[in-house]
Amino acid sequence: MSSKFRVIGNGVPYLDGAEDELLSFIKSTVDRSIGSDELALGIHDWPTLYHFSQARANLLLPFSIGSEHRVLDVGCGTGALTRQFAEWGANVTGLEGSHARCLVANERVNEFENAEIVKGSLDEYLNESHNEEFDVILLCGVLEYSGAIFGGSSGPDKMLNGINRLLKPDGIVIIAIENQLGMKYLLGHNEDHLGVPWVGLSDYHLNNSGIRTWTRSALENLLSKNGLSESRWYGSFPDYKLPSAVISDALWELEDGKQLARQFIRNPITGTSAGPQFLSDPLAFWDLILQTESPKDFVNSHLVVASKSKLEGSSFLRDGLIWTGHGSRKKKFSTRATLRANLNGLEYVHEHRVEEVVIEGALRQKRNQVAVVVGENMEDWIISQSRDKTLVEISEVLKVWWDEALTVLNANAHGGTNFDVLPRNFIRDPKSESWIFIDDEWTWHEPISSSLILLRCLFSLFQERFNFLGIPKISENKSLVETIYELAELLTGNKIDVDVNKFVSFEARIVAKVSSVIDVGREERLLELLNINLSKLQVNPNAFRLHEINIELNQELYFLRNLVRNLKNSL
């Protein structure tokens, strides 16, 4: 059994420079499936992460596609999502304009007779006259290039008209694309394709590349005028490239929909292709967005299903409100889950794994059924109560959490210790006002001190949220590790006898057992972070000025690039 590869034209040249490395590495692997531990070993930078990460396939979790369907993956790249369709049994064609990427994609799916890779452009494929052949057509990160591919402002219409020609009357088009008004763009992150901030917010003024994204309403109008008048909308978080969660519009219709979005989406903004920009607390901004009338208008990426026919009751759409999946776990630890409503309320069901318990040395993972409690997250409560406080005052706030954590630790947790008693894993029940531990997925089955667990949880809290705690009363002369140990001693009333190297070693050991990606030098980086002076972690006015300078330089480079492009076109 093998895939088919054919060339129909010159295609569209598009490369990120990693194709030769990707091809060489994938040829050295046996398991090329979604979630392959072998492929994960090749991840060491953004291109390899994007092409090999199992998180890519999380984008398709809301859909039911199988052997009865014919699928066209337009601009399939190196075949990550083409592979998912093939694994589901669909007869899939991956259409790609880059010959180098076609070679990688063909290797990715070469064990499947139900898959083919075609090198060529959409125009060249349309010339073969494939009218109304496909049940499903995927445009993942493609429509934004339509102006560049087809030339000018009419590019999107030309592309969608061509897609409409290829689609069966009752078929669907799945489109994944950045949101012109996405949260990260509002916060000044660079536009993904053009490399400068806020260019989309000025509606791509002076942008002559033909590359652009749209707001939700503009995209809906664009689809409708090109014959795709029926649509269902989703938001992918943090974006469509490496999503960890997908939210259906149906969630926003629930009375507790916004609160559920807040609980399940703990990484609403930060992308992976560039480092985070600490100019605002992403979760605080997410809270602000959730206070608006229409949070769905500000998701970072649109995921939309469009059709010529009614979508009500469509067999392509899975029942659910939120879908979640992992991106860097070993295959045996990786799970996908769906939050959906039933007659008894809400259920969060884990899927895609048979084993009830997975064992890796002293570490055990239970097939997790998280209790769906709608309420305030303890981490958020701690942040709100800790602003502008001294360490002693913060320790009094944290005492509420540590008492709850000790209750869990002292219980018999499946014969082991629930070491993942992080503040974010507690939710306040709005009826009883009590805190409920919601996530008992992981247990440790060797002796482990509560002091080590305390240090681990405090480090997690500070690492993720310290920038926005706003606690100037903490001495600037203290390091992160000194602050954590002082807080731990205030909480316990005792000297913490756990050596920092032991704590770092344990944390690295956990990550090594669970993660499919080799993280060379993790212990050294953790120690470096722990020893950093707290003043370097806090937001300060200089950070804003540096950001402004960076924006100014990027804008100048952006205009220079356009000037050069215009000069070349005029010659």
Side-chain angles (χ1 to χ4, degrees), residues 59 175-179 182-184 192 234-241 296 298-304:
L59 186 73
I175 299 171
I177 186 172
E178 294 85 356
N179 179 7
M183 288 181 284
K184 70 176 185 179
D192 284 25
Y234 306 80
S236 52
F237 293 85
D239 57 26
Y240 76 80
K241 296 177 181 69
K296 59 192 178 185
F298 303 100
V299 299
N300 286 323
S301 296
H302 300 304
L303 177 62
V304 55

Side-chain angles (χ1 to χ4, degrees), residues 487-520:
L487 271 175
E489 289 171 3
L490 286 169
L491 284 170
T492 62
N494 298 309
K495 180 78 173 174
I496 300 297
D497 58 359
V498 177
D499 180 75
V500 65
N501 291 298
K502 182 177 181 181
F503 153 61
V504 168
S505 176
F506 176 76
E507 189 65 18
R509 188 179 172 192
I510 294 291
V511 172
K513 286 180 178 294
V514 176
S515 177
S516 58
V517 180
I518 295 178
D519 192 357
V520 178

